[in-house]
Amino acid sequence: MSGGVTRRRVLGAIGVTGAATAVGVPWLSGIGGASSTGVQLRSETTLPEPYTQALRRPTQLAPTRSDATTDYYEVTQRVARVRILPGLDTTVWAYQGSFPGPTIRSRRGRTTVVRHRNELPVPTVVHLHGGRTPAQHDGYPVDLIMPADGSLPHPHGDHVGDVRHGERDYIYPMDQRAATLWYHDHRMDFTGPAVWRGLAGFHLHTDEEEQRLPLPTGDRDLPLLLADRAFTADGSLAYPSLDPTLLTTPGVRGDHVAGVLGDVVLVNGVPWPQAEVPGARHRLRLLNGANARRFRVALHPAPPGGGGLVQIGTDQGLLAAPVPHDAIELAPGQRFDVVVDFARYPAGTLVELVNEFGDGRTEQVMRFKVGERVDDPTSIPEVLSEVAPLRAADAVVTRTMRFGAGNVVNSVGDHVSGWKINGLGFSPDAVHAAPKLGTVEVWQLVSDLHHPVHLHLAPFQVLRRGNGGPGPYDLGWKDTVDLRPAELVEIAARFDGYPGRYVFHCHNLEHEDMAMMGNMVVS
């Protein structure tokens, strides 16, 4: 495993700072901060026509056993061949051999234990994104699961955490509100290429409050993982790793340090799929699982009267009340739960879910073919949940976190370039914040480019953007916020649950891998 020294030497060769001082195309794929920070790869093979393949629902993982308090699951991480593009097989790294990985469901009041077995050729780490999790089970970036075949020696050095060989049990108390969560690889230096190769899946958590609501369920509750990828001529996943083995040298080639974008939009691993839906309400759990691409999703055509995307939830669960939108912006790592009433369309209508931040074929996401109206006992209540607001006055401290590109000093004293927070590139030894358990803090987040900021452990609420209040997509309890170029966002975070060392970072995965991550030690 490589440590921070190797990563920073690589960043020095790439020269992040020089590019960041001249932000523009190709670093920003859009203009005016409206799109994504990153550079798009071009596929080398023939791509399918949109809407010619059926949407697939991720498989649901059954527990291997259950007792009075706990459900136990087993997941194997392995190399698999899957069919993504017609006529070609693609090698992926997958949970249970599928991309996305299988969906795990949990219920508040019951502990979830997931045993992960690593049959991949590299170390891995698993993070339950959005989980309220004890530190030793949160997926700290150097708490590795080494390959089960013993092909790699035990890692040594300053940046070695709690290392297990072959298998590891992750224990999740799940003492938290119902929410659309997800799990993915989180190894230091290599999160971006590991997720790109397939290591991601849904974890859907429920509670009694959500169960009492007359929201769509069953076949009308659709988890949708949005992502982008690019492909080589033989159907392999294209990714600009400096080291394709993902064992030694971290980082990506050239301008891709800004972020890696693909030219194929996948929904649940299917390129531009179509779903046949009856004329009834459906719950769409939208997850931006892309490395760097931001989406602005909208329905085309919009239903009569507009407001076709009725938001009922965000990263950390239900909103206080539903909010209708004509479009919703999702940064990497974010989740939005919306209800779409397809009965507002005549039977036979073809309704596209489009990406208004896209260009060319990345403007298309998926299509719904609306069927006949059916009996629909569901509704959207005017009151969904109680969301007690956090206030700046509740905070015991205010911190400023500046996200940007610039010089750092590695452990041998070399001045190199990388992504940083408050002038520091990531090291397991560097502490950015030391919150007290049970307190509220205000963090002022300041950016140079697009940086979707994710806090582990601590749910938060957005207090303001710039001189205004929260934006239209900032409501409710969140764990990831879309920080746009040259912007200040103020959040109030609640540090409760568990003590220990956690991280916060940019969820542009190339930024994260290249040091834009910090430690917070909760005590």
Side-chain angles (χ1 to χ4, degrees):
M1 174 194 160
S2 62
V5 176
T6 301
R7 172 180 56 245
R8 291 169 189 156
R9 284 178 177 158
V10 172
L11 289 169
I14 293 170
V16 175
T17 302
T21 57
V23 172
V25 177
W27 276 62
L28 290 175
S29 67
I31 58 174
S35 191
S36 307
T37 300
V39 176
Q40 184 166 291
L41 293 167
R42 184 182 297 275
S43 293
E44 300 170 349
T45 189
T46 301
L47 301 178
E49 289 298 316
Y51 318 138
T52 56
Q53 299 187 60
L55 176 72
R56 292 195 301 264
R57 179 188 295 268
T59 59
Q60 184 169 319
L61 190 64
T64 56
R65 64 186 178 93
S66 298
D67 58 29
T69 63
T70 306
D71 298 310
Y72 299 85
Y73 296 86
E74 294 183 359
V75 173
T76 299
Q77 307 170 13
R78 61 182 177 87
V79 178
R81 298 278 285 174
V82 298
R83 182 63 57 92
I84 298 175
L85 303 178
L88 295 172
D89 287 333
T90 298
T91 299
V92 298
W93 290 0
Y95 299 118
Q96 295 295 90
S98 65
F99 171 59
T103 298
I104 295 173
R105 289 185 177 267
S106 60
R107 185 181 180 93
R108 189 169 193 170
R110 293 188 59 79
T111 299
T112 295
V113 176
V114 185
R115 173 167 294 176
H116 278 267
R117 178 175 175 81
N118 180 10
E119 295 184 358
L120 293 168
V122 300
T124 61
V125 174
V126 182
H127 169 54
L128 178 58
H129 184 126
R132 187 170 179 261
T133 304
Q136 64 268 35
H137 300 288
D138 188 58
Y140 190 77
V142 294
D143 290 348
L144 305 175
I145 313 173
M146 301 300 291
D149 64 4
S151 58
L152 298 179
H154 189 94
H156 297 281
D158 295 336
H159 295 162
V160 175
D162 178 11
V163 176
R164 310 289 176 87
H165 284 265
E167 295 181 343
R168 186 187 202 102
D169 285 352
Y170 290 90
I171 301 174
Y172 305 124
M174 303 313 303
D175 183 18
Q176 61 187 99
R177 305 171 74 232
T180 298
L181 311 177
W182 64 305
Y183 62 102
H184 59 79
D185 191 76
H186 209 270
R187 178 167 61 120
M188 189 175 84
D189 298 340
F190 294 101
T191 295
V195 172
W196 187 274
R197 293 189 187 193
L199 291 177
F202 279 101
H203 184 127
L204 306 182
H205 180 57
T206 192
D207 60 12
E208 291 184 1
E209 179 184 53
E210 181 185 62
Q211 292 287 307
R212 287 194 297 266
L213 298 177
L215 298 172
T217 60
D219 290 343
R220 299 177 196 170
D221 181 351
L222 293 176
L224 301 176
L225 190 156
L226 312 184
D228 57 341
R229 298 290 187 270
F231 298 86
T232 65
D234 66 358
S236 300
L237 288 166
Y239 187 86
S241 292
L242 292 174
D243 172 21
T245 70
L246 308 191
L247 284 173
T248 56
T249 306
V252 291
R253 299 188 301 272
D255 288 338
H256 292 288
V257 296
V260 179
L261 309 175
D263 60 353
V264 178
V265 175
L266 305 178
V267 183
N268 295 346
V270 181
W272 302 293
Q274 175 168 290
E276 296 190 7
V277 293
R281 294 182 190 88
H282 286 67
R283 179 177 183 171
L284 308 183
R285 300 177 184 258
L286 301 172
L287 159 62
N288 185 346
N291 281 35
R293 183 177 295 279
R294 295 167 70 243
F295 291 88
R296 179 180 168 91
V297 296
L299 298 173
H300 184 267
L309 299 168
V310 181
Q311 185 186 357
I312 59 169
T314 186
D315 303 330
Q316 287 287 305
L318 293 168
L319 299 179
V323 179
H325 298 283
D326 291 319
I328 289 177
E329 298 177 13
L330 297 94
Q334 289 189 310
R335 289 88 67 211
F336 285 82
D337 279 13
V338 301
V339 173
V340 175
D341 187 359
F342 289 106
R344 297 175 67 182
Y345 294 96
T349 304
L350 299 176
V351 181
E352 290 184 274
L353 187 68
V354 299
N355 173 26
E356 295 181 344
F357 283 164
D359 181 28
R361 297 186 72 173
T362 62
E363 292 179 303
Q364 299 166 300
V365 178
M366 66 173 296
R367 188 170 73 180
F368 299 95
K369 183 177 181 180
V370 181
E372 298 291 335
R373 292 190 180 185
V374 296
D375 291 338
D376 188 357
T378 69
S379 63
I380 305 174
E382 294 182 2
V383 176
L384 295 167
S385 179
E386 181 179 351
V387 178
L390 293 183
R391 302 168 299 169
D394 298 327
V396 298
V397 67
T398 297
R399 306 182 192 271
T400 299
M401 300 292 178
R402 299 183 182 276
F403 293 77
N407 290 330
V408 296
V409 180
N410 67 21
S411 62
V412 296
D414 294 333
H415 290 264
V416 296
S417 298
W419 297 101
K420 62 183 183 177
I421 304 172
N422 285 355
L424 296 175
F426 178 68
S427 165
D429 303 322
V431 177
H432 283 73
K436 296 299 182 183
L437 191 65
T439 65
V440 172
E441 295 190 357
V442 167
W443 287 20
Q444 294 178 339
L445 312 175
V446 184
S447 70
D448 58 352
L449 303 175
H450 293 286
H451 297 298
V453 178
H454 171 50
L455 273 63
H456 290 217
L457 178 69
F460 60 81
Q461 295 176 14
V462 176
L463 301 181
R464 66 183 177 101
R465 284 185 179 270
N467 295 323
Y473 315 113
D474 291 335
L475 302 177
W477 286 105
K478 302 181 72 64
D479 57 52
T480 308
V481 65
D482 187 9
L483 187 60
R484 299 173 300 199
E487 187 172 54
L488 180 147
V489 172
E490 189 173 78
I491 65 173
R494 186 174 67 193
F495 294 88
D496 65 355
Y498 309 98
R501 181 176 60 168
Y502 295 86
V503 294
F504 66 100
H505 56 86
C506 177
H507 220 282
N508 177 318
L509 298 184
E510 284 68 50
H511 295 189
E512 174 188 341
D513 282 345
M514 289 173 279
M516 190 167 266
M517 182 158 57
N519 287 299
M520 50 191 187
V521 177
V522 182
S523 62

